């Protein structure tokens, strides 16, 4: 039963991720005085892509075919670890937060290799920038998450959330630092403004789009879906780690329904904040990104130090 | 067990000895003639052809080495499973100093590592040595010193007194010097070999001195006596520092790592694999034996030193690896990084040990050993893979490679597995050990000292950066070498190697990387044995170490189940594939790469290795000593037309300028001072002798 709910929860998370992308687009359009597409547009796009005939370069190798499947399954695995509507499900024990970061690294490894595979300048450029940004973002993310996990003295996400729930609403400086760090990292890792702009195809600025330029058809659909799922995952992670209230702690139908409602509400609010930020902030130069991520790293480190200095003694 | 261990040593020496006969066909057949006729009915005799003879000898040398490695693996596994400590004495060497031998689980573990490494090399070697010309690169030298090198490493593991240990250590060092100097026609190689010998000997001196400190507090030079010795804190710290210098030099800690990126790339690839994958682990073994076994107790300050040195090595190693474009040099720097991670977590183990948390110390200790084991597997694999690339393309410069994934499909798969393991991606073995390192670092809350409590998370952050950079580095390695379009004629003409041994060796190592990535508990159970023997403490939670789950501290704190992850990954990928399976409408169409409508894509338009790391090079610029030069050939009216652009990048290690240059200058200036007393006048020299004689007589009387 538990396993069934865990699988259903993962499926729901995977299934709802295009909806989040649609909602984000809608919010942005709304803020920028544009006519928004339907929130279900990402589903239609994915469906359209799966029906199209993929075109592959003569220079593409087996790795190029293989990569989209690897990317999506690694991201789905990451989704299975993150508590979405209910906590204490068996899947969260199979992997902890370090493994979660590992899954993201796994997906990125294949995506960047696929970028280099065809041998165009665009792919190489995207891959090079992606590994640069991620190698700065990954430590910051780990540090931010470690702050939380040290407070709860577990690296298991479900147990960490349990701990936060039991502790009740305590204002911890370390959590505040970690929250801000994680927000900054999430923006960088999911390729949003100001680090990357998912809406443009301009060689000076693009990162993610440059890497996947050679993909088409179902392969592109898989990668798009994976990146929407990644955005969703970061949202869920931030929402449930820092504001876990509402998440289902028992497996009754009521609790689950309420949990789903709560997380959707939290995500809607988070997305609105992201849309505001994306509208208000301009994309920054590539070589300003290290300052941005360095700041995130510093915040995470401050969070950890404040945990160690201030909170352990309490 | 001990019999098998001796057998492994003897067989490896025998394989070295056999190699000497590679050019002695006439001699051997003349010996054969003298045998009675009844014994001569063997196929052996019919080999009259020199070339055939050489191939047979080469093959049998590697077969002997292979049997030796199998014996070492069985001895190692047996030692780990039987939980016994075996001791023995050999009446060799000086008459009143028999060699003490001891085979406990720590030795057994490293026997296993040496055995696996040597086994892979013995499968691989036959194919690899084929392309050496006998006149320039005699096989006798290579075979002899390979055998001695392996024997030396095994003897180090068996040694139980300082004398025997140093002899074995020197056999290992000197034999490997000759292997590094094997391709001596190139002056750079001779220089690298000399640097290696110099640093190995300085390191050996430091080790002798550290043994000396221990010996002065104990009744003899056997390790048994050392264990019983009680040192004051100061003397123990002095011994520790000397051991750190000596073993650290061999292991390649920053800043005493400089021989490593010079020596490893110039040796033949299977030797580089042995040196990087196995010999560095022997240095680690020596260090663990010295600190955790021989010294009676550890101090937390040592742990701090190790932690900091390890962090600097890990970061330094990966930063330098990132910018290399020579494949083997890059791998050598990456060894520095991995050794750094191992020392870092050993430092954590020491800190926990000294602060009275033996269980966490055991966790750190096991993480260190596991990472050593894993590193031996994937570094061997990567060096052997690099050797195949070198043999098939005659090129190690990544800027000249590319597109090998289609030319060498099998090598590309095994190399990919190596890259994924070393990048610490889930499902592969490198991830498990880094996961354990993080778990150890996160237990910092139990410590009393505020400084340590805030320092350790910072080193954990550095480790996170290291892991991320390592992934970036190996994306570069694989992406530039195997993917894309061939960048040179050599890589365009490359074909897969036809030698089955070479492919089997890499496939075997890749398989082990995957196996221990999925079932890490197999090896962790054995490591627990080592920990309980050396530290006197094992991980308590034996039930949590089931075959399916890995939960080192407590199932409530952290758990990881690779088999379940694998199963769910397969399900996820299968479902994707099932829903997207090819219908006739969506069959893949092959077409030219999109060239933005301009036409004429060339391989030179791809990202190169240097271009790939350019953003990181710019962000972390102060880490390296960079010398970047762009020269333009100008022509035409007013020199406005650019004909060609030359780009040169030279990367220098900071430690050369800050540590070795002053050292060299110091030695030179002292030498100059000394030369003052050498006047060249015979009367002065005679008076020196006279004065010396007087002083001696005075002292004696």
């Amino acid at each position: 039963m538990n396993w069934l709910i865990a699988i259903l929860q993962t499926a729901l998370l995977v299934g709802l991720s295009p909806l989040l992308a649609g909602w984000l687009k809608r919010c942005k359009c709304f803020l920028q005085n544009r006519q928004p597409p339907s929130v279900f547009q990402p589903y239609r796009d994915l469906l359209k892509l799966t029906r199209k005939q993929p075109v592959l370069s003569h220079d593409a190798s087996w790795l190029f075919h293989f990569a989209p499947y690897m990317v999506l399954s690694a991201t789905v695995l990451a989704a299975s670890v993150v508590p979405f509507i209910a906590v204490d499900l068996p899947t969260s024990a199979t992997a902890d937060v370090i493994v979660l970061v590992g899954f993201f690294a796994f997906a990125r490894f294949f995506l960047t290799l696929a970028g280099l595979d065809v041998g165009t300048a665009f792919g190489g450029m995207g891959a090079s920038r992606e590994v640069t940004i991620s190698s700065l973002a990954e430590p910051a993310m780990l540090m931010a998450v470690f702050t939380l996990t040290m407070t709860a003295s577990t690296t298991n996400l479900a147990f960490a959330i349990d701990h936060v729930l039991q502790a009740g609403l305590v204002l911890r400086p370390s959590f505040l630092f970690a929250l801000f760090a994680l927000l900054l990292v999430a923006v960088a890792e999911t390729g949003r403004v100001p680090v990357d702009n998912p809406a443009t195809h301009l060689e000076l600025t693009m990162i993610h789009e440059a890497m996947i330029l050679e993909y088409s058809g179902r392969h592109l659909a898989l990668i798009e879906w994976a990146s929407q799922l990644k955005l969703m995952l970061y949202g869920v992670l931030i929402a449930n780690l820092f504001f876990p209230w509402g998440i289902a702690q028992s497996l009754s139908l009521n609790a689950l329904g309420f949990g789903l409602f709560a997380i959707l509400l939290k995500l809607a609010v988070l997305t609105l904040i992201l849309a505001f930020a994306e509208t208000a902030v301009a994309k920054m130069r590539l070589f300003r990104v290290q300052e941005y991520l360095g700041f995130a790293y510093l915040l995470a480190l401050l969070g950890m130090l404040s945990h160690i200095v201030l909170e352990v003694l309490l | 067990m001990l019999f098998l261990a001796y057998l492994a040593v003897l067989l490896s020496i025998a394989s070295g000895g056999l190699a000497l006969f590679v050019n002695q066909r006439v001699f051997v057949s003349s010996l054969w003639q003298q045998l009675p006729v009844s014994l001569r009915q063997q196929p052996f005799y019919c080999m009259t052809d020199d070339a055939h003879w050489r191939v047979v000898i080469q093959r049998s040398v590697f077969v002997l080495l292979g049997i030796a490695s199998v014996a070492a693996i069985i001895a190692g596994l047996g030692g780990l499973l039987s939980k016994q400590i075996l001791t023995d004495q050999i009446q060799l060497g000086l008459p009143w100093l028999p060699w003490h031998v001891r085979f406990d689980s720590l030795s057994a573990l490293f026997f296993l590592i040496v055995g696996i490494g040597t086994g892979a090399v013995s499968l691989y070697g036959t194919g690899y040595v084929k392309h050496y010309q006998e006149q320039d690169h005699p096989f006798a030298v290579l075979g002899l010193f390979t055998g001695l090198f392996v024997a030396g490493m095994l003897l180090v593991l068996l040694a139980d007194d300082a004398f025997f240990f140093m002899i074995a250590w020197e056999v290992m060092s000197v034999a490997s010097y000759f292997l590094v100097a094997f391709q001596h026609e190139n002056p750079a190689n001779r220089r690298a070999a000399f640097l290696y010998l110099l640093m190995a000997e300085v390191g050996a001196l430091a080790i002798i001195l550290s043994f000396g400190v221990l010996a002065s507090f104990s009744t003899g030079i056997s390790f048994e006596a050392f264990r019983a010795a009680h040192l004051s804190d100061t003397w123990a710290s002095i011994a520790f520092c000397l051991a750190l210098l000596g073993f650290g030099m061999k292991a390649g800690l920053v800043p005493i790592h400089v021989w490593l990126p010079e020596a490893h790339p110039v040796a033949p690839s299977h030797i580089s694999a042995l040196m990087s994958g196995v010999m560095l682990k022997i240095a680690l073994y020596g260090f663990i034996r010295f600190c955790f076994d021989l010294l009676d107790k550890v101090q937390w300050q040592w742990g701090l030193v190790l932690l900091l040195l390890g962090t600097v090595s890990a970061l330094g190693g990966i930063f330098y690896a990132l910018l290399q474009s020579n494949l083997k040099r890059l791998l050598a720097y990456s060894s520095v990084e991995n050794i750094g991670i191992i020392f870092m977590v050993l430092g954590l183990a020491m800190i926990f040990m000294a602060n009275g948390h033996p269980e966490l110390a055991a966790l750190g200790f096991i993480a260190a050993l596991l990472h050593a084991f894993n590193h031996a597997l994937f570094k061997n694999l990567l060096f052997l893979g690099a050797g195949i690339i070198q043999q098939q393309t005659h090129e190690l410069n990544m800027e000249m490679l590319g597109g090998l994934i289609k030319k060498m499909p099998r090598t590309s798969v095994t190399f990919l597995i190596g890259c994924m393991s070393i990048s610490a991606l889930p499902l592969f073995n490198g991830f498990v050990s880094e996961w354990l390192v993080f778990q150890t670092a996160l237990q910092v809350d139990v410590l009393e000292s505020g400084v340590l409590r805030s320092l350790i998370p910072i080193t954990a952050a550095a480790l996170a950066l290291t892991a991320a950079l390592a992934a970036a580095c190996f994306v570069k390695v694989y992406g530039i070498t195997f993917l894309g379009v061939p960048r040179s004629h050599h890589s365009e003409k490359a074909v897969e190697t036809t030698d089955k041994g070479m492919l089997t060796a890499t496939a075997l190592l890749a398989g082990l990387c995957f196996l221990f990535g999925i079932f890490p508990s197999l090896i962790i159970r054995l490591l627990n044995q080592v920990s309980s023997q050396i530290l006197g403490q094992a991980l308590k939670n034996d039930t949590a170490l089931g075959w399916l789950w890995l939960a080192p501290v407590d199932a409530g704190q952290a758990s990881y189940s690779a088999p379940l992850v694998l199963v769910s990954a397969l399900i996820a990928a299968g479902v994707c594939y099932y829903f997207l399976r090819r219908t006739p409408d969506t069959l893949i169409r092959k077409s030219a790469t999109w060239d933005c409508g301009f036409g004429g894509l060339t391989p030179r338009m791809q990202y190169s290795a240097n271009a790939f790391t350019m953003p990181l090079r710019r962000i972390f610029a102060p880490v390296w000593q960079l010398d970047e030069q762009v020269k333009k050939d100008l022509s035409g009216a007013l020199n406005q037309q650019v004909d060609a652009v030359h780009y040169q990048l030279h990367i220098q290690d900071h430690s050369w300028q800050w540590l070795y240059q002053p050292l060299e200058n110091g030695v030179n200036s002292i030498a100059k001072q000394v030369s003052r007393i050498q006047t060249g006048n015979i009367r002065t020299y005679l008076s020196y002798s006279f004065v010396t004689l007087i002083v001696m007589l005075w002292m004696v009387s």
Side-chain angles (χ1 to χ4, degrees):
Chain A
M1 182 64 189
N2 282 359
W3 282 98
L4 192 68
I5 291 182
I7 293 168
L8 279 179
Q9 166 181 291
T10 311
L12 199 63
L13 187 58
V14 176
L16 284 179
S17 57
L19 188 66
L20 187 82
W23 166 250
L24 176 64
K25 195 159 267 178
R26 208 179 165 81
C27 291
K28 270 178 82 172
C29 285
F30 201 68
L31 288 168
Q32 294 166 358
N33 273 336
R34 291 188 281 139
Q35 188 76 36
S38 151
V39 282
F40 299 107
Q41 189 59 38
Y43 290 104
R44 290 180 201 144
D45 289 343
L46 289 179
L47 208 62
K48 176 188 77 186
L49 283 174
T50 54
R51 286 183 190 145
K52 287 211 164 195
Q53 184 185 29
V55 183
L56 246 65
S57 159
H58 291 302
D59 297 327
S61 67
W62 57 265
L63 199 132
F64 198 75
H65 285 260
F66 199 53
Y69 296 98
M70 299 298 270
V71 171
L72 186 66
S73 23
T75 320
V76 169
L77 281 184
S80 71
V81 179
V82 177
F84 179 49
I85 49 177
V87 76
D88 288 339
L89 289 176
T91 41
S92 67
T94 54
D96 66 352
V97 68
I98 304 171
V99 188
L100 178 75
V101 175
F103 286 143
F104 285 139
F106 195 94
R108 191 186 312 117
F109 190 83
F110 274 95
L111 203 55
T112 44
L113 282 185
L116 285 165
D117 186 45
V118 180
T120 60
F122 273 117
M125 181 167 67
S128 160
R129 291 175 179 180
E130 175 84 10
V131 297
T132 307
I133 288 173
S134 64
S135 52
L136 296 171
E138 208 182 280
M141 165 156 186
L142 271 178
M143 277 302 100
V145 180
F146 282 170
T147 309
L148 277 115
T149 56
M150 278 173 80
T151 310
S153 58
T154 165
T155 54
N156 185 313
L157 280 170
F159 291 123
I161 290 173
D162 267 344
H163 179 89
V164 177
L165 279 173
Q166 272 160 23
L169 190 61
V170 190
L171 188 65
R172 293 170 189 273
S174 63
F175 271 40
L176 231 68
F177 281 123
L179 171 63
F180 279 111
L182 206 57
L183 280 173
L184 292 181
V185 169
V187 167
E189 283 270 41
T190 53
R192 312 301 304 189
V193 177
V195 175
D196 187 8
N197 191 347
T200 64
H201 275 133
L202 190 68
E203 70 244 46
L204 290 177
T205 55
M206 48 178 184
I207 299 171
H208 182 79
E209 293 294 319
M211 224 172 5
I212 61 172
L213 202 62
E214 282 291 324
Y215 274 114
S216 54
R218 57 172 175 268
H219 299 135
L220 184 61
L222 288 172
I223 289 178
E224 290 284 337
W225 201 359
S227 66
Q228 287 163 359
L229 182 55
K230 195 172 174 188
L231 178 69
M232 176 98 165
L233 276 181
Y234 271 95
V236 172
L237 204 60
I238 290 170
N240 275 346
L241 273 179
F242 294 95
F243 313 101
W245 298 280
I247 196 165
Q249 285 175 284
S250 63
L251 296 182
S252 69
L253 216 53
N254 268 342
L256 288 176
F258 183 68
L260 182 63
F261 174 72
I263 185 68
L264 288 183
L265 196 70
K266 283 183 261 182
L267 281 176
V269 173
L270 264 180
T271 322
L272 205 60
I273 297 173
L274 180 63
F276 264 113
E278 287 210 306
T279 309
V281 180
K283 188 186 168 308
M284 64 177 130
R285 274 173 48 214
L286 185 66
F287 285 104
R288 293 288 299 280
V289 172
Q290 81 266 31
E291 291 163 25
Y292 169 91
L293 285 172
F295 182 61
Y297 195 67
L298 207 66
L299 277 180
L301 206 60
L302 276 178
M304 178 159 277
L305 289 182
S306 64
H307 163 72
I308 285 161
V309 177
L310 300 174
E311 289 160 22
V312 175
L313 304 177
L314 292 180
Chain B
M1 286 313 115
L2 214 47
F3 167 71
L4 280 169
Y6 288 148
L7 187 69
V9 175
L10 290 177
L11 279 173
S12 43
I13 294 176
S15 90
L18 184 64
L20 290 177
F21 291 102
V22 73
N23 290 328
Q24 310 292 334
R25 186 183 61 82
V26 182
F27 172 65
V28 174
S29 41
S30 71
L31 275 186
W32 198 251
Q33 298 281 344
Q34 290 161 15
L35 285 178
V37 182
S38 56
L39 283 174
R40 257 192 266 155
Q41 306 302 323
Q42 303 286 334
F44 186 88
Y45 184 50
C46 62
M47 290 180 306
T48 45
D49 179 16
D50 256 355
H52 190 197
W53 167 259
R54 189 172 304 139
V55 168
V56 168
I57 287 287
Q58 283 180 359
R59 201 160 285 167
S60 32
V61 164
F62 282 111
V63 165
L64 272 183
L65 204 61
I67 301 173
S69 73
V70 170
I73 291 174
I74 297 173
L77 278 178
L80 282 170
L81 290 172
S82 72
K83 309 173 185 183
Q84 282 171 342
I85 299 176
L86 304 167
T87 50
D88 194 10
Q89 285 194 0
I90 314 177
Q91 298 296 335
L92 274 175
L94 299 176
W96 63 93
L97 275 178
W99 290 354
H100 294 78
V101 169
R102 188 162 181 273
F103 191 69
D104 62 358
S105 53
L106 186 65
S107 312
L109 172 70
F110 284 87
F111 248 76
L112 187 64
I113 292 178
V114 177
I116 293 175
T118 317
V121 164
S122 63
L123 275 174
Y124 179 91
T126 341
Y128 191 76
V129 297
K130 248 189 288 185
H131 74 279
Y132 283 125
Q133 294 295 320
E134 190 57 35
Q135 284 78 31
D136 302 336
H137 301 113
F139 178 74
V141 175
L142 186 65
L144 172 66
F145 287 112
T146 309
L148 283 180
F149 179 44
V150 173
M153 290 195 287
L154 292 175
L155 285 176
V156 168
L157 301 176
L158 288 174
D160 197 39
D161 64 67
F163 181 60
F164 183 23
F165 187 92
M166 285 322 296
I167 287 179
W169 185 267
E170 288 298 323
V171 168
M172 173 181 93
S173 292
V174 174
S176 54
Y177 160 75
F178 285 106
L179 293 171
V180 172
F182 181 61
Q183 284 154 316
H184 53 78
E185 67 281 358
N186 189 345
N189 296 4
R190 291 200 294 270
R191 188 179 162 274
F194 178 70
L195 180 70
Y196 170 53
L197 187 66
L198 184 70
M199 293 192 72
E201 289 313 309
V202 171
L205 278 181
I207 297 172
I208 291 178
L209 286 177
S210 67
F211 281 142
V213 172
L214 275 185
S216 64
F217 283 89
S218 59
T219 51
I221 58 162
S222 75
F223 284 176
E224 212 49 62
F226 286 175
R227 280 188 197 98
H230 291 288
L231 277 72
S232 67
D233 282 358
T234 326
W235 278 110
S237 297
I238 291 174
F240 167 79
C241 289
L242 285 168
L244 181 62
L245 181 69
F247 292 114
M249 215 169 240
K250 199 73 169 178
L253 283 178
V254 171
I256 38 182
H257 66 286
V258 288
W259 65 270
L260 208 145
E262 304 293 327
H264 287 200
V266 305
S269 287
H270 62 294
I271 300 301
S272 319
L274 274 184
M275 285 178 74
S276 213
V278 182
M279 190 184 72
L280 302 187
K281 307 300 161 337
I282 302 297
L284 182 72
Y285 161 83
F287 188 72
I288 291 176
R289 173 70 75 200
F290 193 89
C291 294
F292 287 92
D293 193 14
L294 298 188
L295 289 173
D296 55 350
K297 65 179 194 302
V298 294
Q299 298 172 16
W300 68 267
Q301 290 92 337
W302 305 349
L304 193 62
V305 171
L306 282 190
L307 186 68
L308 294 179
L309 267 182
T311 311
V312 171
S313 302
L315 275 177
I318 198 62
F319 271 129
Y320 279 95
L322 204 55
L323 290 204
Q324 304 303 321
S325 47
N326 178 318
L327 192 52
K328 278 169 78 178
R329 214 176 145 84
L330 184 149
L331 292 176
Y333 267 120
S334 143
S335 292
V336 175
E337 175 229 331
N338 282 289
I339 287 290
I341 295 176
I342 295 170
F343 272 81
M344 193 174 150
V345 69
L346 269 185
L348 283 175
M350 271 191 186
I351 290 175
F352 284 126
M353 190 84 186
N355 278 297
H357 300 284
E359 209 158 275
L360 296 178
L363 176 63
F365 190 70
I366 287 175
L369 292 180
L370 182 62
H371 199 69
F373 180 77
N374 289 340
H375 181 242
L377 291 181
F378 52 65
K379 195 44 73 66
N380 247 336
L381 167 60
L382 290 173
F383 264 115
L384 296 184
I388 297 182
I389 295 173
Q390 189 182 17
Q391 201 178 30
Q392 300 305 109
T393 64
H394 308 288
E395 194 64 75
L396 273 177
N397 184 357
M398 275 187 264
E399 309 284 20
M400 294 291 157
L401 295 170
L404 294 183
I405 193 168
K406 285 195 207 134
K407 322 272 180 197
M408 304 165 70
R410 287 182 194 153
T411 312
S412 74
V413 173
T414 49
F415 205 86
L416 180 65
I417 291 178
C419 285
M420 289 170 82
S421 308
I422 203 168
S423 310
L425 296 185
L427 297 183
F428 292 90
N429 61 354
F431 180 76
V432 181
S433 41
E434 288 206 10
W435 188 77
L436 282 178
V437 177
F438 276 122
Q439 293 298 349
T440 318
L442 288 179
Q443 306 296 330
V444 61
D445 269 358
V446 301
L447 294 177
E448 305 276 313
S449 148
V451 180
L452 285 180
R453 267 219 311 265
S454 40
L455 192 70
I456 292 175
I458 295 178
T459 57
L463 180 66
L465 181 62
T466 311
L469 287 173
C473 180
F474 283 90
V475 165
K476 172 186 122 166
V477 169
Y478 198 78
I480 303 293
T481 313
F482 283 93
L483 305 179
V485 189
R487 288 178 177 77
S488 72
H489 184 68
H490 280 320
S491 54
E492 195 159 359
K493 295 278 176 239
V495 285
E496 181 65 277
T497 175
T498 49
D499 189 86
K500 285 214 179 68
M502 290 168 97
L503 290 173
T504 318
T506 47
L508 208 66
L509 288 170
L512 285 177
C513 280
F514 189 62
L515 177 72
F516 290 121
I518 301 295
F519 300 109
S521 336
L522 293 179
I523 185 84
I524 289 177
R525 266 169 204 276
L526 298 181
L527 296 180
N528 217 6
Q529 200 50 52
V530 182
S531 170
S532 66
Q533 240 176 48
I534 300 292
L535 297 187
Q537 175 77 35
L539 289 183
K540 63 161 183 198
N541 215 337
D542 226 23
T543 45
L545 283 171
W547 63 275
L548 195 58
W549 296 90
L550 191 61
V553 189
D554 180 3
Q557 282 202 346
S559 54
Y560 169 51
S561 166
L564 286 180
V565 168
L566 177 67
V567 169
S568 22
L570 287 178
I571 291 174
V575 168
C576 289
Y577 192 75
Y578 178 75
F579 280 111
L580 295 175
R581 67 193 181 283
R582 287 158 214 187
T583 57
D585 294 344
T586 59
L587 272 180
I588 291 169
R589 185 161 66 86
K590 286 275 189 179
S591 162
T593 312
W594 189 57
D595 52 13
C596 307
F598 289 104
L601 280 180
T602 70
R604 284 176 58 82
M605 290 177 185
Q606 300 174 84
Y607 254 49
S608 63
N610 271 328
F612 188 79
T613 47
M614 180 274 197
L616 284 168
R617 196 163 69 227
R618 194 158 151 185
I619 290 170
F620 294 105
V623 174
W624 307 275
Q625 260 188 327
L626 292 173
D627 181 17
E628 208 171 357
Q629 282 176 347
V630 182
K631 254 195 284 180
K632 287 178 184 169
D633 290 351
L634 299 171
S635 71
L638 296 171
N639 271 352
Q640 287 294 302
Q641 189 187 336
V642 180
D643 289 334
V645 182
H646 302 280
Y647 177 80
Q648 259 195 338
L649 178 69
H650 190 70
I651 305 144
Q652 175 84 328
D653 222 312
H654 271 309
S655 52
W656 279 111
Q657 193 192 345
W658 299 111
L659 184 67
Y660 294 94
Q661 283 293 340
L663 214 64
E664 193 190 326
N665 294 345
V667 169
N668 276 342
S669 66
I670 290 172
K672 246 182 210 143
Q673 298 291 327
V674 169
S675 73
R676 277 194 196 170
I677 59 170
Q678 295 169 335
T679 56
N681 189 335
I682 186 86
R683 275 166 296 180
T684 328
Y685 290 134
L686 279 176
S687 63
Y688 288 154
S689 315
F690 181 68
V691 171
T692 313
L693 208 64
I694 296 289
V695 171
M696 295 278 270
L697 280 173
W698 174 61
M699 278 169 77
V700 167
S701 60

